[in-house]
Amino acid sequence: MKKMSGAQLAGWIVFWVNYAVLIAIWIVYTIHPKNLSIIPNDLLSSNFTLGIYLFVVLFVQGIAGIAIKKLHEENYWSIVLLIIGIFFNWFYIIAAVWGMVLNQKVENTNSRT
């Protein structure tokens, strides 16, 4: 098994904190469905909107998980994680840039030998 880099560790921390927040939102939504501060007046459209939002977030999280796992296989995955960081969660930018730096150092070391 390969040793996990600091960039991957940072990415996994952000990944699991995101999932914890999603679970917390789901629990609050389930426990307090009639709390007007959480749900707009139109219940049907709010459920549909929340469902679409959660689907998109889970899809992006899945792609982020793959990108974190394969962060050092190709620089492509660092770029994917950077794009996810720019558009969805800024904390992924830290892991993406860190991964790019580590990948560049490995490429420079391999090109010298």
Side-chain angles (χ1 to χ4, degrees):
M1 187 172 165
K2 265 185 168 176
K3 185 178 176 185
M4 188 181 331
S5 71
Q8 287 176 312
L9 182 63
W12 285 120
I13 290 171
V14 172
F15 181 84
W16 288 111
V17 167
N18 277 343
Y19 268 120
V21 168
L22 286 175
I23 290 169
I25 289 171
W26 177 74
I27 288 172
V28 168
Y29 185 78
T30 303
I31 292 174
H32 300 290
K34 296 192 183 332
N35 186 349
L36 295 178
S37 64
I38 297 172
I39 303 172
N41 292 335
D42 187 4
L43 185 63
L44 180 62
S45 69
S46 67
N47 281 339
F48 180 74
T49 304
L50 183 64
I52 294 294
Y53 173 75
L54 288 177
F55 176 76
V56 169
V57 169
L58 289 175
F59 178 76
V60 169
Q61 280 288 99
I63 298 297
I66 294 169
I68 293 167
K69 184 176 180 181
K70 298 182 176 193
L71 190 62
H72 300 301
E73 291 180 12
E74 293 180 26
N75 217 14
Y76 166 79
W77 291 108
S78 297
I79 295 169
V80 169
L81 199 57
L82 182 68
I83 291 170
I84 290 172
I86 290 171
F87 290 108
F88 292 99
N89 187 342
W90 288 64
F91 291 111
Y92 281 127
I93 294 175
I94 297 167
V97 171
W98 195 351
M100 286 179 189
V101 169
L102 291 177
N103 288 344
Q104 189 65 32
K105 284 182 181 179
V106 169
E107 287 177 12
N108 287 342
T109 305
N110 290 341
S111 65
R112 289 181 188 167
T113 54

